Amino acid sequence: DGGITQSPKYLFRKEGQNVTLSCEQNLNHDAMYWYRQDPGQGLRLIYYSQIVNDFQKGDIAEGYSVSREKKESFPLTVTSAQKNPTAFYLCASSITGSSGANVLTFGAGSRLTVL
Amino acid sequence: GNSVTQMEGPVTLSEEAFLTINCTYTATGYPSLFWYVQYPGEGLQLLLKATKADDKGSNKGFEATYRKETTSFHLEKGSVQVSDSAVYFCALSGTGNQFYFGTGTSLTVIP
């Protein structure tokens, strides 16, 4: 079955460490997204990529980095510069083109806790 | 710019009660509108969508109508079940393949 796989599901990090969250999709979607979810704040866009080797900052990109070397993969690195990284991170993908057909498909999420 | 405002929760209902979660939007152009549902510890799942004015999206007994004149997309269900307990997000997609989400409304249905 097609879908989005995020790993790890739970991750603990010490302050000052960088961590990388994996996101892989086999839906043949061009666009991929990373969102951060905090209680009571909904979803906030970190980075998105419409095509391989290209990506754009979202609303809260500071302290994060991404790469898009393959269509299927869009890893997110949470760097030590991110002041408050404890959160639930969601990866999503969609086709591009006609807005009527665009639907976001989400992974199951990764919960990062900084100790 | 684009934004979504949805009813704050939490909402607690008895089983078989009627559900309404309000959602209004601001958008340039002609967005598509969505409702997503999130169960505890999981990602979001598409519940229903509507792509143009007066369209009604429906799924699993839930429905919402795209009202351009009131810029609204309220979610309704005639008789909720305990299994409907979740967080519900209203969202829109605009130009440039961008998606905008409301803050979510937590629903708890008690037997």
Side-chain angles (χ1 to χ4, degrees):
Chain A
D1 286 341
I4 298 179
T5 301
Q6 289 188 240
S7 63
K9 189 160 180 65
Y10 299 97
L11 184 61
F12 298 89
R13 187 194 94 174
K14 293 181 179 179
E15 284 193 20
Q17 288 180 335
N18 293 353
V19 294
T20 297
L21 307 181
S22 170
C23 178
E24 303 278 333
Q25 56 101 357
N26 60 4
L27 299 166
N28 200 33
H29 286 173
D30 288 310
M32 297 188 73
Y33 307 77
W34 275 104
Y35 290 91
R36 170 178 171 144
Q37 186 177 22
D38 296 283
Q41 294 195 46
L43 277 67
R44 292 184 289 170
L45 182 64
I46 305 173
Y47 269 98
Y48 64 100
S49 168
Q50 306 274 26
I51 196 169
V52 174
N53 292 323
D54 188 41
F55 48 83
Q56 287 77 41
K57 293 182 179 180
D59 301 319
I60 57 164
E62 185 175 350
Y64 300 96
S65 66
V66 293
S67 63
R68 187 83 188 279
E69 297 176 2
K70 299 187 300 181
K71 186 175 184 178
E72 303 79 17
S73 179
F74 192 42
L76 174 74
T77 296
V78 184
T79 75
S80 56
Q82 168 50 232
K83 300 300 182 195
N84 185 21
T86 295
F88 190 53
Y89 291 89
L90 288 161
C91 181
S93 69
S94 77
I95 62 171
T96 56
S98 167
S99 62
N102 290 359
V103 172
L104 272 180
T105 301
F106 284 86
S110 293
R111 184 167 298 281
L112 172 63
T113 302
V114 174
L115 304 173
Chain B
N2 295 327
S3 66
V4 175
T5 302
Q6 68 179 98
M7 165 180 160
E8 290 193 16
V11 174
T12 302
L13 295 173
S14 296
E15 205 165 22
E16 298 183 1
F18 184 85
L19 169 71
T20 299
I21 301 178
N22 290 338
C23 172
T24 57
Y25 68 90
T26 302
T28 55
Y30 303 95
S32 294
L33 301 174
F34 308 86
W35 277 100
Y36 282 84
V37 59
Q38 184 180 34
Y39 299 101
E42 299 182 9
L44 278 68
Q45 304 171 26
L46 178 68
L47 181 59
L48 53 85
K49 71 172 187 177
T51 59
K52 61 183 187 297
D54 299 325
D55 267 3
K56 177 185 283 188
S58 61
N59 185 25
K60 300 180 182 178
F62 291 90
E63 57 183 35
T65 301
Y66 189 142
R67 301 283 189 203
K68 189 166 168 50
E69 63 276 13
T70 55
T71 61
S72 65
F73 193 55
H74 305 320
L75 182 68
E76 296 181 336
K77 187 175 185 182
S79 175
V80 293
Q81 306 300 312
V82 172
S83 57
D84 294 327
S85 298
V87 179
Y88 293 82
F89 291 90
C90 186
L92 70 82
S93 72
T95 55
N97 215 45
Q98 290 299 297
F99 292 81
Y100 302 85
F101 287 84
T103 54
T105 301
S106 175
L107 170 67
T108 301
V109 180
I110 54 177

